[in-house]
């Protein structure tokens, strides 16, 4: 009877559930957040006004006293994960670990054992070569290396002194390039496309040759497929997905065949599987929880990649938990337009997204607690 009185005391007047006062700070093992970066947290290299406050809320500065784990999943790249973390840590005024970070090209590191000599395209200077070498690729070639060997490769592009110094001299007449990886956005569409097309139409990746069947060239991989992305400009700017579309059109015009290519990043389901594994490892390393969270709230600004990927992964038989999509109005998506892929929720900014997810989880917790108390009360009455 005394236990029954204790249980009933947890119900407020009229049977309403009165939640207990939250502890100073607790870590939730039930849910987590995953964030896109450009257009969600950062725009034009500067933090979106609500971004810093949103991170503080997740780190425990909230009315519920709860800390929520989170990771970052961006289609951007061109730098090592460590370098991107340093940039984001400075922008958001907090410490971010590489264990919380996925670039568009991060999953490509799993292909370093399959291909030895590869062409890596995009990014600033020699950074993408260093990223690829850090992933374990044994022999990394850049467009600058090819132009240095034969300046007539790209009639309208001449290497600067700095580019020449960073480019490696070699005889490409004796080199077979096994795969092409577009790690980051091209800084020279014309030159990079010419080199990529030369390889795609070659015999076994050997520059200077031409296949008669156009099916002997190396495979090509893109780190993502976003047509546009959000910058400091008032309108979205074209990105890697546009380069891919352009290459497909030119290749079709030259060969009469469709270009077979592979894209990583969002909305590819493999990227969300990779993110699930990263979240599980991060929770294990920091809190000793060796399991993925029951719910992941993905916050993005691009319906065609962030929202589509989240929804399709959640609906697939490969997803072992629940993924919930939240669209913000601070990036690619603009109010007054109808997104091609419908999110579970649409909010103004990332802070509202964080609050939405936390409140939703609190409501779920309170409903579950109320159901449990109701069942306990019924059991007591039956006694």
């Amino acid at each position: 009877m005394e236990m029954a009185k204790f249980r009933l005391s947890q119900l407020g007047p009229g049977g309403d559930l009165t939640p207990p006062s939250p502890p100073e700070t607790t870590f939730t093992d039930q849910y987590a957040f995953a964030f896109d970066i450009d257009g969600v947290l950062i725009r034009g290299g500067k933090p979106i006004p609500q971004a810093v406050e949103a991170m503080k809320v997740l780190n425990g500065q909230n009315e519920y006293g709860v800390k929520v784990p989170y990771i970052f999943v961006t289609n951007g790249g061109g730098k090592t994960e460590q370098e991107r973390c340093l940039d984001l840590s400075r922008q958001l005024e907090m410490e971010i670990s590489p264990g919380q970070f996925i670039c568009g090209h991060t999953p490509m590191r799993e292909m370093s054992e399959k291909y030895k000599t590869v062409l890596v395209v995009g990014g600033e200077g020699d950074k993408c070569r260093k990223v690829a070498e850090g992933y374990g690729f044994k022999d990394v070639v850049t467009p600058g290396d090819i132009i240095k060997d034969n300046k007539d490769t790209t009639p309208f592009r001449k290497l600067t002194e700095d580019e020449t110094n960073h480019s490696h001299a070699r005889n490409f007449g004796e080199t077979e390039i096994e795969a092409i990886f577009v790690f980051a956005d091209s800084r020279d569409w014309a030159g990079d496309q010419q080199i990529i097309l030369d390889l795609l139409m070659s015999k076994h990746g050997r520059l200077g040759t031409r296949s008669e069947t156009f099916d002997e060239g190396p495979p090509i991989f893109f780190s993502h497929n976003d047509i546009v992305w959000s910058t400091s400009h008032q309108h979205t700017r074209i990105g890697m997905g546009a380069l891919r579309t352009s290459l497909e059109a030119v290749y079709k015009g030259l060969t009469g065949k469709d270009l077979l290519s592979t894209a990583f990043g969002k909305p590819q389901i493999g990227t969300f599987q990779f993110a699930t594994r990263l979240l599980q490892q991060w929770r294990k390393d920091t809190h000793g929880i060796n399991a993925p969270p029951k719910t992941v709230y993905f916050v993005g600004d691009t319906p065609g990649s962030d929202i589509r990927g989240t929804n399709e992964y959640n609906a697939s038989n490969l997803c072992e938990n629940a993924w919930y999509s939240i669209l913000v109005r601070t990036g690619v998506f603009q109010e007054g337009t109808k997104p091609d892929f419908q999110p579970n929720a649409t909010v103004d900014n990332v802070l509202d997204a964080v609050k939405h997810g936390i409140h939703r989880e609190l409501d779920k917790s309170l409903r579950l607690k109320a159901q449990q108390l109701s069942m306990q009360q019924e059991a007591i009455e039956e006694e």
Side-chain angles (χ1 to χ4, degrees):
M1 180 62 71
E2 291 301 315
M3 180 60 68
K5 289 180 179 178
F6 170 75
R7 289 169 176 167
L8 289 173
S9 70
Q10 296 179 66
L11 294 174
D16 294 333
L17 182 68
T18 303
S21 300
E24 288 189 11
T25 304
T26 58
F27 173 80
T28 178
D29 61 354
Q30 296 298 305
Y31 63 102
F33 279 82
F35 296 95
D36 181 30
I37 296 178
D38 291 313
V40 175
L41 297 166
I42 305 296
R43 186 164 184 170
K46 298 179 180 179
I48 287 170
Q50 299 82 6
V52 173
E53 181 64 24
M55 294 298 103
K56 289 180 179 179
V57 170
L58 290 177
N59 287 328
Q61 295 184 32
N62 56 68
E63 58 188 300
Y64 310 110
V66 60
K67 286 185 176 181
V68 185
Y70 52 89
I71 61 172
F72 304 93
V73 186
T74 176
N75 276 349
K79 300 178 180 179
T80 65
E81 286 77 4
Q82 290 83 353
E83 192 173 353
R84 289 298 302 267
C85 284
L86 287 174
D87 290 342
L88 194 59
S89 296
R90 173 181 50 78
Q91 291 163 330
L92 296 181
E93 303 173 11
M94 56 181 285
E95 184 177 350
I96 296 169
S97 165
Q100 296 172 273
F101 207 96
I102 298 177
C103 293
H105 48 61
T106 303
M108 289 179 172
R109 67 188 182 195
E110 297 181 342
M111 305 184 76
S112 62
E113 294 299 319
K114 185 174 182 179
Y115 301 107
K116 179 184 176 183
T117 302
V118 300
L119 173 69
V120 169
V121 178
E124 299 175 356
D126 211 30
K127 289 185 177 180
C128 283
R129 189 203 304 270
K130 295 176 181 177
V131 173
E133 290 173 344
Y135 287 169
F137 286 99
K138 304 297 188 300
D139 186 15
V140 182
V141 173
T142 68
D145 298 346
I146 294 170
I147 298 171
K148 186 172 185 176
D149 178 61
N150 183 355
K151 61 183 178 58
D152 295 327
T153 301
T154 53
F156 303 114
R157 178 184 176 187
K158 306 301 178 187
L159 297 181
T160 65
E161 182 179 352
D162 186 60
E163 288 174 329
T164 300
N165 292 335
H166 283 100
S167 297
H168 300 176
R170 67 190 298 170
N171 182 0
F172 282 97
E174 300 177 353
T175 301
E176 289 191 0
I177 295 175
E178 301 172 16
I180 304 165
F181 290 93
V182 184
F183 264 42
D185 286 300
S186 168
R187 270 53 174 180
D188 174 32
W189 273 40
D192 288 346
Q193 284 196 80
Q194 180 65 73
I195 291 170
I196 291 171
L197 287 165
D198 282 344
L199 283 171
L200 292 173
M201 296 188 294
S202 72
K203 291 183 178 181
H204 311 296
R206 192 179 288 266
L207 287 165
T209 65
R210 273 291 183 271
S211 171
E212 295 178 0
T213 57
F214 300 118
D215 59 2
E216 301 174 275
I220 182 169
F221 303 91
F222 294 84
S223 66
H224 67 85
N225 196 40
D226 283 350
I227 298 288
V228 296
W229 63 298
S230 178
T231 71
S232 55
H233 197 276
Q234 67 265 37
H235 300 298
T236 56
R237 305 287 86 186
I238 57 175
M240 190 182 298
L243 174 65
R244 185 187 187 191
T245 301
S246 176
L247 270 170
E248 289 173 346
V250 177
Y251 184 83
K252 178 82 169 182
L254 291 173
T255 69
K257 292 189 173 185
D258 293 327
L259 175 62
L260 300 178
S261 62
T262 302
F264 290 86
K266 301 166 292 183
Q268 310 305 319
I269 283 180
T271 294
F272 290 86
Q273 290 179 284
F274 194 92
T276 299
R277 295 196 297 270
L278 185 76
L279 259 174
Q280 181 168 342
Q281 187 64 46
W282 176 247
R283 282 155 49 95
K284 179 182 178 181
D285 292 344
T286 57
H287 300 284
I289 304 170
N290 189 19
K294 292 181 179 179
T295 303
V296 179
Y297 291 92
F298 192 97
V299 185
D301 71 309
T302 308
S305 59
D306 299 323
I307 305 307
R308 176 186 177 183
T310 304
N311 292 351
E312 291 182 354
Y313 180 55
N314 183 64
S316 76
N317 56 12
L318 298 173
C319 186
E320 299 178 359
N321 50 2
W323 281 67
Y324 184 100
S325 58
I326 304 178
L327 181 64
V328 295
R329 299 185 177 97
T330 51
V332 170
F333 172 70
Q334 296 297 317
E335 188 65 26
T337 63
K338 183 178 180 180
D340 293 332
F341 299 90
Q342 292 295 321
N344 294 115
T346 302
V347 298
D348 286 338
N349 55 64
V350 65
L351 179 58
D352 289 343
V354 166
K355 291 180 177 179
H356 175 84
I358 293 177
H359 290 163
R360 183 172 181 268
E361 288 298 316
L362 180 63
D363 289 343
K364 286 164 57 177
S365 176
L366 291 177
R367 286 196 301 271
L368 178 60
K369 187 67 174 177
Q371 291 173 357
Q372 292 172 341
L373 290 173
S374 177
M375 292 174 63
Q376 292 172 354
Q377 185 176 5
E378 289 176 2
I380 293 169
E381 290 175 352
E382 290 177 359
E383 294 175 0

